[in-house]
Amino acid sequence: MAVLPCFSVGNMTIRPGQIWKDNRGIHINAHGGGVINHNGTYYWYGEHKADTTSSAMVGVTCYSSKNLVDWVYEGVALPVVDEEGHDIERGCILERPKVIYNKVTGRFVMWFHLELKGRGYAEARYGVAVSDTPVGPFKFLRSGRVNPGLWPSDMSQASRAAADTLDAGNYKEWWTPAWREAIVNGLFLKRDMHAHDGHPAGQMARDMTLYVDSDDCAYHIYSSEDNLTLHVAELTADYTAHTGRYVRVAPGGMNEAPAIFRKDGKYWMITSGCTGWEPNEARMFSADNILGPWTQHPNPCVGPGAGKTFGGQSTYVLPVGDGFVFMADIWRPGHPSDARYVWLPIEFEHGLPVVRWRDEWTPVEYGFK
């Protein structure tokens, strides 16, 4: 039986979950990624997945489009390297690449979640790279953990002092009520404040996204504290480092895969729970300030499969004109390169974002150009 493509050239529709071919007729290989619009062209960056492993054997790929439907392969924007011991050595884990443009420096800045080769998911680092062009090649700058030695800016002096007294030796058994309370109060924050167990100082950074606000300030949003708590960290003016200012979102709530957008002055963030490669019910949060406080809302997904985010996991929300496109990945760990994409328009009902399942939809129908 023939496999339907993810789009139809004739009527320019997107078919979520189906094969999505590029200009070469090959399924787009840009997973866990993000999209930017630069000078009227969309650039899609994502993880290149091999057929049999989710480790990075190629690097970060880039595709371009004028209409969000048909995409031109632009090549490998950030290649892994063969130098033994290099941070992005071939075979490392390189996930969730996102790119933002800095108007002042004229540079494109890429951040991603990085795990060193042979270390599994123990390192929980960020990686950062820069380029003078949207398609690269990007130059790798460094990797590390976030804001070493610094407490969150939304944590009072009294709360910091209390967290500093927490002793991990008293909480060796996980998932107990006492352990959960200690996590909320900063047990893992204190643990990662300084170097320990062979890890550098700084907060863990796994599933992540980037956001540039209307004042051109940029933020790194990532899953931290062993995926138990999200952090929102401010970036420096050139977008290549952290300022040291960061906050926690839903401490102990087990959120990952953040995707953030802003509508009418309110910030919205869609996340997932932590169930490995298996899909789960999406979560949603809102705030009047990107640094919080954040309030949780019900699952924004509606329709068949909504209880498991249509089989996918959030990765990015793409602003298009006055609207937004929700992007998610349907992971296939047994055949990583065959992972599929769920792109759906975000609508607002009673003041809340709604992501409704559609077998197919047309960007032009929603005013996306």
Side-chain angles (χ1 to χ4, degrees):
M1 185 175 73
V3 177
L4 287 174
C6 194
F7 69 91
S8 169
V9 175
N11 56 17
M12 300 299 286
T13 60
I14 293 175
R15 294 186 174 126
Q18 301 297 329
I19 289 288
W20 199 340
K21 295 181 179 181
D22 64 14
N23 61 306
R24 305 167 300 168
I26 300 172
H27 180 47
I28 294 171
N29 200 330
H31 310 282
V35 178
I36 64 169
N37 183 332
H38 184 69
N39 292 337
T41 298
Y42 294 98
Y43 295 93
W44 179 357
Y45 306 89
E47 312 160 28
H48 180 282
K49 293 292 191 186
D51 293 337
T52 59
T53 178
S54 286
S55 295
M57 306 308 293
V58 173
V60 177
T61 49
C62 177
Y63 296 78
S64 66
S65 174
K66 293 288 188 180
N67 56 23
L68 295 177
V69 175
D70 51 346
W71 293 85
V72 174
Y73 178 65
E74 297 287 356
V76 181
L78 176 67
V80 294
V81 302
D82 289 319
E83 178 186 341
E84 186 175 352
H86 195 285
D87 285 6
I88 57 170
E89 179 184 358
R90 192 182 310 277
C92 68
I93 295 172
L94 197 165
E95 299 178 335
R96 308 268 168 179
K98 305 293 185 291
V99 173
I100 50 180
Y101 177 67
N102 190 293
K103 296 176 183 177
V104 176
T105 66
R107 280 183 149 186
F108 299 84
V109 185
M110 178 188 295
W111 288 71
F112 49 90
H113 164 214
L114 177 68
E115 303 287 349
L116 303 182
K117 183 178 181 179
R119 297 278 292 168
Y121 279 86
E123 292 299 311
R125 297 186 179 207
Y126 70 82
V128 60
V130 296
S131 173
D132 293 327
T133 70
V135 298
F138 280 75
K139 177 185 177 182
F140 176 75
L141 296 182
R142 68 182 178 281
S143 76
R145 287 194 170 184
V146 184
N147 292 323
L150 299 176
W151 292 102
S153 59
D154 61 342
M155 203 170 189
S156 69
Q157 288 296 333
S159 295
R160 295 179 190 186
D164 208 26
T165 67
L166 294 172
D167 183 352
N170 296 330
Y171 304 96
K172 293 181 179 179
E173 184 180 354
W174 287 31
W175 311 115
T176 66
W179 177 88
R180 289 179 180 276
E181 183 179 1
I183 290 297
V184 171
N185 291 336
L187 179 66
F188 284 177
L189 274 175
K190 177 191 175 183
R191 178 198 66 185
D192 295 333
M193 198 74 63
H194 307 287
H196 65 95
D197 301 325
H199 301 300
Q203 299 302 318
M204 304 172 80
R206 290 190 177 133
D207 281 8
M208 57 137 290
T209 192
L210 298 175
Y211 182 75
V212 179
D213 214 339
S214 56
D215 60 1
D216 292 329
C217 286
Y219 298 87
H220 178 207
I221 302 98
Y222 52 94
S223 187
S224 194
E225 303 178 40
D226 278 305
N227 287 17
L228 293 165
T229 302
L230 290 169
H231 290 182
V232 179
E234 185 181 62
L235 296 181
T236 54
D238 66 0
Y239 301 167
T240 66
H242 299 96
T243 66
R245 186 185 185 198
Y246 73 103
V247 299
R248 303 166 84 204
V249 179
M254 297 182 67
N255 287 278
E256 61 181 14
I260 189 170
F261 61 109
R262 187 182 184 191
K263 170 73 171 175
D264 297 332
K266 187 175 287 291
Y267 300 86
W268 298 93
M269 181 160 53
I270 299 174
T271 72
S272 84
C274 300
T275 53
W277 296 107
E278 296 299 321
N280 55 63
E281 186 176 37
R283 290 97 175 269
M284 184 169 67
F285 299 82
S286 70
D288 293 325
N289 187 305
I290 194 168
L291 295 176
W294 289 82
T295 301
Q296 187 164 358
H297 300 273
N299 177 11
C301 299
V302 175
K308 290 196 173 180
T309 318
F310 316 120
Q313 185 184 41
S314 51
T315 185
Y316 197 69
V317 171
L318 170 63
V320 184
D322 294 327
F324 304 90
V325 178
F326 172 72
M327 296 169 52
D329 295 274
I330 299 176
W331 301 115
R332 297 193 170 179
H335 188 184
S337 63
D338 190 42
R340 306 295 177 85
Y341 310 102
V342 172
W343 286 27
L344 291 165
I346 295 178
E347 301 172 272
F348 277 78
E349 296 180 0
H350 309 294
L352 293 174
V354 173
V355 182
R356 180 172 282 104
W357 176 258
R358 288 171 172 76
D359 291 330
E360 59 181 308
W361 62 282
T362 305
V364 174
E365 173 188 357
Y366 292 89
F368 299 155
K369 298 179 181 178

